[in-house]
Amino acid sequence: MKKLLIVVDMQNDFITGSLGSAQAQAILPAVQAKIAAYKQSGGGVLFTRDTHDDNYLSSQEGRCLPVPHCIAGTEGHAIAVGLDTTGCELFDKPNFGSLELAAQVAANGYDEIELCGLCTDICVVSNALILKARLPETKIRVDAACCAGVTEESHRAALLTMEFCQVEVLRPV
């Protein structure tokens, strides 16, 4: 069985930087353990990076969220220290969800896809639903313990939305 873990936007700006949060910092050990488990079992691991350029504030997203973040080439754009990217693909995406990511994942024929990372209520849910639409018969899941949202309420709402759309949500026991 061919499995893929997609680690969504575990970047410095979302953890300790301009849009960082205590919730994002709290999931780091669980995400680190999940990456190690996937690598040990022979599963694939792909990291996405929210990627903007210097004109971010003039973009639609920048006008709606006027906080420069994840600017290519900055420390905030980097994957958090402690998350092992060795042998993993880094996929730069210019917005929340990526049709290109879904096409690339589909071309590789995975049987199961799991997502974790940041933010549950923006990039995780966007990519999970795009993947589900592109690959309706592929098992897609999200680990709630390895995700954090902008708020706890929006995190829970995104998990519920994904469940309604047949994305399996793994919840802590």
Side-chain angles (χ1 to χ4, degrees):
M1 183 167 291
K2 194 170 176 185
K3 296 181 180 183
L4 175 67
L5 175 66
I6 300 175
V7 182
V8 178
D9 299 356
M10 289 295 295
Q11 295 163 265
N12 292 326
D13 270 348
F14 291 129
I15 299 169
T16 57
S18 58
L19 294 172
S21 70
Q23 294 84 359
Q25 293 169 33
I27 68 167
L28 269 171
V31 172
Q32 188 174 34
K34 183 164 288 290
I35 293 165
Y38 260 79
K39 286 183 168 190
Q40 186 174 27
S41 72
V45 180
L46 181 150
F47 286 80
T48 70
R49 291 188 296 196
D50 192 40
T51 303
H52 303 293
D53 57 27
D54 291 333
N55 73 349
Y56 170 76
L57 291 176
S58 66
S59 69
Q60 180 177 342
E61 180 183 334
R63 289 188 298 274
C64 293
L65 177 63
V67 179
H69 63 280
C70 301
I71 306 299
T74 66
E75 184 61 28
H77 183 250
I79 298 295
V81 172
L83 297 182
D84 183 11
T85 61
T86 306
C88 300
E89 181 176 359
L90 299 175
F91 186 94
D92 291 338
K93 56 182 188 54
N95 49 30
F96 307 132
S98 174
L99 297 173
E100 293 81 11
L101 174 64
Q104 179 177 318
V105 168
N108 286 315
Y110 292 98
D111 300 301
E112 293 184 8
I113 301 164
E114 185 171 346
L115 294 93
C116 65
L118 302 169
C119 292
T120 318
D121 42 354
I122 302 172
C123 293
V124 174
V125 68
S126 296
N127 285 291
L129 295 180
I130 290 170
L131 285 163
K132 192 62 181 174
R134 179 70 173 83
L135 301 162
E137 296 303 318
T138 300
K139 184 174 197 160
I140 306 210
R141 69 172 64 115
V142 170
D143 187 341
C146 292
C147 292
V150 174
T151 68
E152 186 56 36
E153 180 182 34
S154 62
H155 167 76
R156 286 191 307 271
L159 294 173
L160 187 59
T161 296
M162 288 185 277
E163 284 179 319
F164 283 143
C165 295
Q166 301 175 2
V167 172
E168 180 184 355
V169 174
L170 305 173
R171 296 184 184 271
V173 181

